[in-house]
Amino acid sequence: AQSVTQPDIHITVSEGASLELRCNYSYGATPYLFWYVQSPGQGLQLLLKYFSGDTLVQGIKGFEAEFKRSQSSFNLRKPSVHWSDAAEYFCAVGARGGSYIPTFGRGTSLIVHP
Amino acid sequence: DARVTQTPRHKVTEMGQEVTMRCQPILGHNTVFWYRQTMMQGLELLAYFRNRAPLDDSGMPKDRFSAEMPDATLATLKIQPSEPRDSAVYFCASGLERGTDTQYFGPGTRLTVL
C-alpha cells in the first residue's frame, strides 16, 4: 500500500519570499501524485497533479511541483508567496490500477507574515 | 460552475442522537468519497463508492456509522448513536473513475456532539 509523509507540520514565511513544502511517498512503482490546498473553513482544492511525462508540473495560483523518483519526493514550490496563500496544504498519492483510493498526508500549515 | 454540495454545513447535537449528513456529487461523477478531518487524525477516508456501490468502508466504525447512495445525486452518511468523539468536519468528494482524476471536495459539515 502507498503512504505519504509531509515532514513539516507548520511552515512560516514572509510575504514575497519563496516557498517549498516537502512531500515524500512510499510506493513500489510510479504513483499518481497530487497537491491540494485547504483554506480555512473550506474543502480541499486541487493545486496540481502528476501522473506521467514532464516531472515538473505547473499548477494554479503560481504553484509548481517536481517529481523526483530517486528521492521519492514531490515537493511543492512557489517563487513568491502572497498573504492569501496562507492555508493547509496536503500531498496525496494514488496507486496505479486497482481501486484507486488516494492516500493523503497529514498536511502542512502555511503561515505568511506581512 | 459545478461543485459538490453538502448539508448541513454545521450541526450541533447531543450524544446519542442520530446525525445524517448529505452530499450531492457533481453531475456525471461516478465516485464518491467520505472523509473525516480532525486535528488529531488528519484526513481519514471513511467510505468510497463507485457507481453507487460501496467499495471500501474499512475506515468507518461499523457499529454506528453507515453510508449509502440512494441514487446518483445523493450520498448520505449517518451516525447512530452519535458520540462526542465523532465531533469533526466531514467532507464529501466526488470524481471520475480514473487514477489521474481530481477529487472535488464539498465545503464540509462541521459536527459537534455534546
Side-chain angles (χ1 to χ4, degrees), chain B residues 43-103:
Chain B
L43 200 63
E44 301 174 275
L45 178 69
L46 296 176
Y48 165 53
F49 288 79
R50 185 172 66 202
N51 297 325
R52 296 176 55 201
L55 291 191
D56 189 334
D57 60 3
S58 58
M60 202 164 63
K62 301 292 192 302
D63 56 338
R64 298 184 299 108
F65 284 60
S66 62
E68 297 180 342
M69 281 200 72
D71 59 61
T73 65
L74 176 65
T76 62
L77 180 66
K78 291 185 180 180
I79 308 174
Q80 169 62 23
S82 58
E83 297 180 1
R85 59 179 167 151
D86 301 329
S87 297
V89 181
Y90 291 81
F91 288 104
C92 173
S94 72
L96 294 170
E97 187 195 351
R98 290 194 300 264
T100 58
D101 199 62
T102 301
Q103 288 188 47

Side-chain angles (χ1 to χ4, degrees), chain A residues 32 34 36 38 41-46 49 51 88 90 95 98-102 104-106, chain B residues 9 33 35 37 39-43 45 48 50 56 91 98-103 105-107:
Chain A
Y32 300 129
F34 308 81
Y36 286 82
Q38 183 182 27
Q42 302 295 318
L44 281 69
Q45 179 188 20
L46 183 74
K49 60 185 178 183
F51 53 94
E88 190 87 13
F90 293 89
S99 65
Y100 170 56
I101 300 176
F104 283 83
R106 291 298 305 270
Chain B
R9 292 294 311 276
F33 302 80
Y35 292 93
Q37 185 179 43
M39 290 292 291
M40 294 298 295
Q41 300 297 328
L43 200 63
L45 178 69
Y48 165 53
R50 185 172 66 202
D56 189 334
F91 288 104
R98 290 194 300 264
T100 58
D101 199 62
T102 301
Q103 288 188 47
F105 282 76

Side-chain angles (χ1 to χ4, degrees), chain B residues 21-42:
Chain B
M21 291 169 270
R22 293 176 174 80
C23 166
Q24 182 173 7
I26 293 174
L27 190 65
H29 284 184
N30 67 335
T31 60
V32 171
F33 302 80
W34 281 105
Y35 292 93
R36 176 171 64 185
Q37 185 179 43
T38 61
M39 290 292 291
M40 294 298 295
Q41 300 297 328

Side-chain angles (χ1 to χ4, degrees), chain A residues 9-100:
Chain A
I9 298 175
H10 302 282
I11 290 280
T12 302
V13 298
S14 298
E15 192 169 15
S18 63
L19 171 70
E20 182 169 31
L21 301 182
R22 295 184 292 166
C23 172
N24 294 99
Y25 69 88
S26 175
Y27 182 61
T30 301
Y32 300 129
L33 295 160
F34 308 81
W35 274 101
Y36 286 82
V37 61
Q38 183 182 27
S39 298
Q42 302 295 318
L44 281 69
Q45 179 188 20
L46 183 74
L47 282 176
L48 48 79
K49 60 185 178 183
Y50 170 82
F51 53 94
S52 68
D54 193 346
T55 57
L56 185 62
V57 181
Q58 302 297 321
I60 62 171
K61 304 185 181 186
F63 285 92
E64 66 176 27
E66 186 171 11
F67 169 57
K68 292 186 177 180
R69 185 192 310 273
S70 61
Q71 299 177 20
S72 297
S73 69
F74 189 57
N75 294 348
L76 182 71
R77 300 194 295 250
K78 186 169 184 178
S80 177
V81 171
H82 188 263
W83 65 266
S84 60
D85 293 324
E88 190 87 13
Y89 291 81
F90 293 89
C91 182
V93 58
R96 294 178 184 265
S99 65
Y100 170 56

